[in-house]
Amino acid sequence: MTDDPEIAARRRRLVYGRRKGPKLSEHQSSLFTTLLPKLALEIRDGAEPRSYFSAPVEDVWLEIGFGAGEHLLWQAEHHPNVGLIGAEPYEGGVAKILSRMDTSPPGTENIKIHMGDARDILFALPDASLGRVFILFPDPWPKTRHHKRRFIQTEMLGHLSRVMKPSAELRFASDDAPLVEYTLERLTAHPAFTWTATRAESWKSRPADWPPTRYEAKQLHGIPAFLEFRRV
């Protein structure tokens, strides 16, 4: 990994809250030593992301903050020729996806997990290497002084645009109206992205290949919005 002090400083700038929650069950704890090592992403600077997977894949998608993993697992199951990388710093979320994978049928060769900051992955990826990026129901960080912790920042969009292929898709969802407005402001102003919406229904309705998650079902802040952007 790079030793650039500026990048190191950016990494120390938190974009997530706590990393640990309630105590894990004995079974969940055991999965961190038995199953996680088989799925853990070993980040290598400049490595073609398809090389991270034991089985051949045609494309690689990244989910930033996969929560309990429902969406990540659905995409992996329905796109067996795509490699799915999931980044999640919260221990409880990783425990949940490991539990699901432990009880589900085989077929996880196209999933890799990074229990940490997604920026670690972005800074190491080569140019134009991702076909799709998901940022679904991130922490809205509602207080103005915490807005700098939101993942979508103009600088971060520069990193995303660098690693996304031409015409690659960025999917964003939130039930927090101020965060949706904030995100739209920055993405529509960025020259590397174009919003694909053509009418209100385009962002009010979840596309068929966009499965629901438990965070969406909670609707803690309001009605969810589903935004899709293209790398131009």
Side-chain angles (χ1 to χ4, degrees), residues 2-37:
T2 181
D3 294 322
D4 188 309
E6 183 181 348
I7 290 180
R10 286 201 297 266
R11 283 181 177 166
R12 287 192 294 271
R13 192 181 307 147
L14 289 179
V15 292
Y16 50 84
R18 58 180 183 160
R19 299 192 65 162
K20 291 193 175 184
K23 184 179 179 181
L24 301 179
S25 69
E26 185 176 339
H27 177 63
Q28 287 176 323
S29 295
S30 70
L31 293 176
F32 278 80
T33 57
T34 58
L35 182 56
L36 183 58

Side-chain angles (χ1 to χ4, degrees), residues 60-118:
V60 176
W61 299 349
L62 171 66
E63 182 165 354
I64 297 172
F66 58 72
E70 312 102 306
H71 176 271
L72 186 72
L73 290 173
W74 189 96
Q75 295 292 351
E77 179 185 353
H78 289 80
H79 300 93
N81 295 325
V82 173
L84 273 295
I85 297 176
E88 175 58 61
Y90 183 49
E91 181 185 65
V94 176
K96 286 183 172 64
I97 194 173
L98 291 177
S99 297
R100 285 188 169 94
M101 295 175 76
D102 184 51
T103 57
S104 64
T108 57
E109 295 85 358
N110 63 332
I111 291 180
K112 286 292 180 183
I113 294 174
H114 175 58
M115 193 171 74
D117 195 329

Side-chain angles (χ1 to χ4, degrees), residues 44-160:
R44 303 187 303 273
D45 267 339
E48 159 60 52
R50 288 178 298 178
S51 69
Y52 288 127
F53 300 90
S54 56
V57 294
E58 298 172 1
D59 198 5
V60 176
W61 299 349
L62 171 66
E63 182 165 354
I64 297 172
F66 58 72
E70 312 102 306
H71 176 271
L72 186 72
L73 290 173
W74 189 96
Q75 295 292 351
E77 179 185 353
H78 289 80
H79 300 93
N81 295 325
V82 173
L84 273 295
I85 297 176
E88 175 58 61
Y90 183 49
E91 181 185 65
V94 176
K96 286 183 172 64
I97 194 173
L98 291 177
S99 297
R100 285 188 169 94
M101 295 175 76
D102 184 51
T103 57
S104 64
T108 57
E109 295 85 358
N110 63 332
I111 291 180
K112 286 292 180 183
I113 294 174
H114 175 58
M115 193 171 74
D117 195 329
R119 293 173 296 182
D120 297 335
I121 302 170
L122 292 177
F123 295 149
L125 284 172
D127 294 354
S129 55
L130 295 178
R132 190 175 290 181
V133 176
F134 307 96
I135 306 175
L136 309 181
F137 299 93
D139 192 323
W141 294 109
K143 295 180 180 179
T144 302
R145 70 176 184 271
H146 290 157
H147 284 187
K148 61 182 179 293
R149 292 189 172 192
R150 290 174 171 175
F151 192 86
I152 297 293
Q153 305 285 347
T154 301
E155 180 188 17
M156 188 53 59
L157 292 178
H159 291 296
L160 282 172

